[in-house]
Amino acid sequence: MTAPILRQLCEIRELSTGWKRAGQTVAVVPTMGALHAGHLSLVQAAKAQCDRVIVWIFVNPKQFNNPEDLKNYPRTEHDDAKKLAPYGVDAIYVPDVDQVYPDGFATTVSVTGLTDVLCGAHRPGHFDGVATVVSKIFLQTGADRAYFGEKDYQQLQIVRRMATDLDIPIDVIACPTVREPSGLAMSSRNLRLSEDAMRQAANLYPILNDMAAELRDGTVFRPLADRARARLNEAGFDEIEYLDLRRADGLAAMDHLDAPARLFIAAWIDGVRLIDNIAV
Ligand code: PAF
């Protein structure tokens, strides 16, 4: 059954408050729509662990640092609702812009430190936009649990920090990255890749895994990264924005494996920016 689509803050508040008053646990799955199997895995986890599930769909203008990117971002509400139908979610909240950013809106939530590196260093203002909208998602829905994919690992760390620092009573749950059979991480941006580029982009995951194996064998990061960059260029990637080894907790840079770590990459292929990361 298709879940009701709500557009007003007062509607989602009323529903969520009623559920909580009845002693039910409420989950929110924050998305910008263009749903794929990665999003649906978050919905499945939320359904399995909570009584009620809200899917939030909002293409957040504040997190785009490129107006063209915002204009071209896929908006597929009808298809998204169809994809969600088999999962029995309780509400799809697609807020009107003025429900998130009413006239005169003048507040920015800004997390320091974690936002200085990786995507934060290359997309000025992006994580302020994310932290601002996610704090609104948490406060508007009043959810007990929020589900995020590890594909956006830096975002996950920032959102956790923000919820802790602002005393927002919500558990942030991390779910594993969902991949195509080729290993390519699922992303709404994959839709913009040509067939050739999809094939070439599939080299990313094995290259990261080869690096992880060598790091575990004690190889230091820098020379390994130089070789990986050359392999990525050969595979068809045009630009490697970053390729970094960082502590899983806190994201400090590392040059060899002496603590739980993650390998992070952002790279361009076929005019599309892809990101991925794996645990090491
Ligand atoms: O990961 C996303 O899709 C977005 O950054 C989020 C968390 C929905 C905020 O707009």
Side-chain angles (χ1 to χ4, degrees), residues 168-221:
I168 302 180
I170 194 163
D171 286 333
V172 174
I173 312 292
C175 298
T177 302
V178 177
R179 297 181 180 279
E180 301 282 356
S182 69
L184 181 65
M186 297 261 180
S187 163
S188 309
R189 289 168 190 261
N190 295 354
L191 291 174
R192 311 216 303 251
L193 294 172
S194 66
E195 262 181 47
D196 272 355
M198 276 285 258
R199 258 193 305 276
Q200 292 168 319
N203 285 290
L204 198 58
Y205 188 52
I207 292 175
L208 288 182
N209 277 306
D210 289 350
M211 290 181 79
E214 288 199 54
L215 286 163
R216 284 189 201 102
D217 286 344
T219 311
V220 290
F221 178 64

Side-chain angles (χ1 to χ4, degrees), residues 4-40:
I5 297 183
L6 310 177
R7 300 190 192 276
Q8 300 286 306
L9 170 56
C10 58
E11 299 175 303
I12 199 69
R13 274 247 163 96
E14 195 184 324
L15 260 187
S16 176
T17 312
W19 291 332
K20 290 177 79 168
R21 233 180 248 136
Q24 299 178 331
T25 51
V26 178
V28 64
V29 179
T31 81
M32 297 206 297
L35 302 183
H36 52 65
H39 297 114
L40 298 175

Side-chain angles (χ1 to χ4, degrees), residues 74-143:
R75 287 157 176 89
T76 55
E77 184 182 312
H78 184 68
D79 283 358
D80 291 344
K82 277 211 309 219
K83 284 182 191 159
L84 290 169
Y87 293 87
V89 305
D90 298 278
I92 304 173
Y93 182 36
V94 192
D96 294 331
V97 178
D98 67 353
Q99 299 297 293
V100 183
Y101 302 123
D103 258 3
F105 187 84
T107 300
T108 299
V109 178
S110 191
V111 175
T112 56
L114 288 170
T115 53
D116 293 343
V117 298
L118 302 171
C119 291
H122 293 270
R123 301 184 67 189
H126 167 68
F127 284 123
D128 284 358
V130 170
T132 303
V133 81
V134 173
S135 58
K136 299 216 58 157
I137 296 172
F138 290 179
L139 295 168
Q140 290 203 353
T141 61

Side-chain angles (χ1 to χ4, degrees), residues 34-48:
L35 302 183
H36 52 65
H39 297 114
L40 298 175
S41 76
L42 304 180
V43 172
Q44 244 171 340
K47 269 303 278 184

